[in-house]
Amino acid sequence: MPVLKKIALTITSAALLSGFILSPAVAADKDKSDDKQPKPPSTMSSLGGEQLGKAGTQVNLGAGAPVLPKKLSGRSWIVADAESGDVLAAHNAHWRLPPASTLKMLFADTVLPALQPTQTHTVSESELAGVGEGSSLVGIKEDHTYTVHDLWLGVFLRSGNDAVHVLSEMYGGLPQTVAAMQKHAEELQALDTVVVSPDGYDAPRQVSSAYDLTLIARSGMQKKDFREYAATASADFPGEKKKGKKRESFEIQNTNRLITGDIGVDPYQGIAGVKNGYTTHAGNTFTGVAERNGKVLLVTVMNPSAEESHAVYKEAAHLLDWGFSASGKVTPVGQLVPPKSLDTGISTGGKGAAPAADQGTGGQAKAAHASAASKGSSGVGVALAIIGGLLVVVAAGVFLVNRRWPVPGLGSRPAPEADGPEADAPEADAPEADAPEAKDSGATADAVPAAEPAAPAAEDAGKPADKS
C-alpha cells in the first residue's frame, strides 16, 4: 500500500505541476491572440479637440448621464449633435481606416451639384470595364440610357459601383473625380481622408476616419437631393430594353438596415439616412443621422469585431439611443469643425492634422462653394426638410427631419447653367490625383450582386452580414 500511495501522490503532483506549467502557456496564447488585433496609432489628429486625438473611449459624463452601451466592438466610432457640432462621445475618432462604401457620401457631396437629375446618358462598355471584381452592382447595362436621377438611386440604395463609375465619367473621368473628392475633403477639413477610388472599393492607401465620415455626412445632409436619396427606402430602377417592348423596371431596396429593417434589426425610429458599407479590408462601416424629440444626431461606426449579424447597425442604434438620452447631460469631448471657407471665429481646440498623405488636387464643381463663403457665421443653416413624398415609410417609419443646420450656405448651391456632362465639370487642366489602382481580387467590394427584376435583394451573397 505505501508503494501505491507513493505512486498516486507522484501522479497527482505531476498533474498539478503540469497545470501550473500549462496555464501560463494558455495565457500567453491568449495574449498573442489579443496582440493580433490592430491597435490605434499612438499619435492621431486632435482636430476638433484634444480628447479626440486620444486613443480609446472618450466621454465626459455629467450628473444623470447614462453610461455608454456595453460591448461596443467598433474599432472607431463617434456620436455627435448634428446641429451644434458637439461630439458627445467618441472612440479612436481620428483612426484612419478603410471606409468602404461610406466614402460614397463624399462622392455624392462632390458630384451631385454638377449634374442635373434630368440629364440622360447612354452607358458604354468602357465605363463599366473598371468596376472592381465582386463589386456591389445595381444592374446597369451597356448601350442602355439612364437619367442622372436613376444613377443616384443606384448609388444610394444599392451602393452600385457601376452607377458610381458612370457618374464619374459624366463628371469628367475617374481621375478628375478622385481629385475633386480629395479637394472637397480638404475643404470640409476631413483631413484623415485619402481618396483613391470614388466607390470606396478596397485600394492601397485609401482611408478615412469616423470623424471625417461624420463631417462628410453633415455636409451632404444639407443638400436637399442628397437627403432625399439617402432617406429613400425603395424605388423602381430601369431594367432591360427589348426591341418593340416597353422597357422593364425592377424594385431596388436601400441596404441601410436601419431604414428598411432585416431579421434581427428593426427600422430605427427617426432615421433619415445616411450610408453603409462593407469590404474585405474595411469590414462593416456605417454613418447614420436620426431625429428624436427635436434633437438630430449623427453616428459613425467602423469595423465592429462582434460576430453577431448586423453588428454595425445594432451598435449604431445603441449609440444613437445613448446620445438622445445623454444629450445635455455630458460635456462634449470635441467639436465637428466647419468647412475651411466658413470663418465662424469659434476655436475648436486641438491641433489640426496635416492633410493625409498621397492627396490629389484638382477640379471641383464650379458651384461647389459659391454661396458658402459669402454667408458669414450667422449660424442660420439650411432647412433640413426631407420631402415626404419621396420617402417610402416602412415598419416603424422613416421620420421626417425638419431642422435647421448651423453651417450656412452649403445647401444653396446654384444649379448648373447647362445640361450635359460638361456642365460645371472639373477644369480640364486640373492636376490629376492618383487613379484608382488595380483592385485586390480578394476584396469583396460592398459585395451586393446586381438586383434583378422580381428577385429578392441578394445582399448576403458571399458573407452573412451587412454588405453595402
Side-chain angles (χ1 to χ4, degrees):
M1 284 296 290
V3 175
L4 291 175
K5 285 184 178 181
K6 187 173 182 180
I7 293 173
L9 288 171
T10 302
I11 293 173
T12 302
S13 300
L16 291 171
L17 182 60
S18 66
F20 285 118
I21 294 172
L22 289 175
S23 292
V26 172
D29 288 343
K30 186 177 184 301
D31 290 341
K32 289 179 181 177
S33 176
D34 292 341
D35 288 343
K36 292 179 181 179
Q37 293 296 320
K39 298 291 191 295
S42 57
T43 302
M44 293 183 286
S45 167
S46 58
L47 182 65
E50 293 290 348
Q51 275 191 267
L52 297 179
K54 296 179 180 179
T57 301
Q58 306 299 318
V59 64
N60 302 323
L61 298 176
V67 296
L68 282 165
K70 296 179 180 179
K71 298 181 180 179
L72 293 172
S73 66
R75 290 183 183 174
S76 175
W77 54 259
I78 190 171
V79 57
D81 187 306
E83 296 180 296
S84 68
D86 289 343
V87 178
L88 306 183
H91 180 77
N92 302 325
H94 281 289
W95 191 357
R96 291 170 174 171
L97 297 166
S101 278
T102 48
L103 193 66
K104 288 183 172 77
M105 295 188 297
L106 179 60
F107 170 74
D109 198 35
T110 303
V111 176
L112 262 170
L115 302 174
Q116 294 282 17
T118 55
Q119 283 179 237
T120 59
H121 181 76
T122 301
V123 177
S124 67
E125 181 180 1
S126 63
E127 290 171 342
L128 301 178
V131 177
E133 182 181 351
S135 285
S136 51
L137 306 171
V138 67
I140 292 172
K141 308 290 186 184
E142 62 183 85
D143 299 325
H144 283 58
T145 300
Y146 302 86
T147 65
V148 166
H149 175 73
D150 294 331
L151 296 171
W152 282 121
L153 287 171
V155 171
F156 277 87
L157 273 65
R158 295 298 300 181
S159 203
N161 290 3
D162 48 357
V164 170
H165 279 244
V166 173
L167 286 165
S168 295
E169 290 301 326
M170 295 180 70
Y171 187 73
L174 287 174
Q176 292 197 39
T177 301
V178 168
M181 289 171 65
Q182 191 69 69
K183 184 176 181 180
H184 188 44
E186 294 176 27
E187 157 61 17
L188 296 178
Q189 300 203 63
L191 304 181
D192 298 325
T193 300
V194 177
V195 183
V196 179
S197 176
D199 50 22
Y201 192 89
D202 282 335
R205 306 185 314 281
Q206 182 154 271
V207 291
S208 190
S209 66
Y211 184 86
D212 280 15
L213 292 173
T214 307
L215 285 182
I216 292 163
R218 192 185 192 207
S219 174
M221 288 298 290
Q222 299 193 51
K223 300 166 186 63
K224 177 175 174 287
D225 44 5
F226 186 107
R227 295 195 300 272
E228 291 169 357
Y229 290 125
T232 300
S234 65
D236 288 332
F237 192 82
E240 189 174 359
K241 171 66 175 174
K242 296 180 180 179
K243 189 174 182 180
K245 294 184 178 181
K246 183 180 179 181
R247 188 171 184 179
E248 300 172 349
S249 66
F250 56 94
E251 184 181 80
I252 56 175
Q253 288 192 339
N254 201 318
T255 57
N256 178 349
R257 295 311 181 202
L258 291 191
I259 289 180
T260 59
D262 201 353
I263 297 174
V265 180
D266 293 325
Y268 190 82
Q269 184 182 24
I271 193 70
V274 175
K275 192 73 189 73
N276 55 304
Y278 173 78
T279 66
T280 301
H281 294 107
N284 291 290
T285 59
F286 176 72
T287 297
V289 62
E291 180 193 28
R292 188 178 294 175
N293 299 325
K295 181 69 65 176
V296 184
L297 297 182
L298 284 161
V299 63
T300 296
V301 177
M302 302 186 75
N303 201 348
S305 60
E307 295 182 357
E308 67 174 329
S309 177
H310 301 313
V312 73
Y313 300 111
K314 293 174 181 177
E315 294 189 17
H318 293 328
L319 283 168
L320 285 170
D321 286 343
W322 175 85
F324 287 122
S325 297
S327 181
K329 302 173 184 175
V330 296
T331 300
V333 297
Q335 283 280 320
L336 299 178
V337 296
K340 286 182 179 179
S341 59
L342 301 178
D343 181 14
T344 64
I346 299 174
S347 174
T348 59
K351 298 179 181 178
D358 299 306
Q359 295 188 106
T361 58
Q364 172 72 310
K366 294 178 181 178
H369 308 290
S371 61
S374 64
K375 292 287 184 176
S377 57
S378 64
V380 180
V382 181
L384 181 60
I386 299 177
I387 307 303
L390 292 181
L391 296 179
V392 179
V393 181
V394 294
V398 180
F399 282 57
L400 304 186
V401 178
N402 188 7
R403 306 294 297 165
R404 298 184 69 83
W405 291 66
V407 182
L410 291 183
S412 54
R413 299 178 178 180
E417 297 179 359
D419 278 343
E422 299 83 8
D424 292 327
E427 299 174 5
D429 58 353
E432 294 185 353
D434 293 338
E437 298 193 7
K439 308 301 186 295
D440 177 0
S441 61
T444 308
D446 312 318
V448 183
E452 293 295 336
E459 178 180 343
D460 295 327
K463 187 179 182 292
D466 308 330
K467 313 301 188 297
S468 102

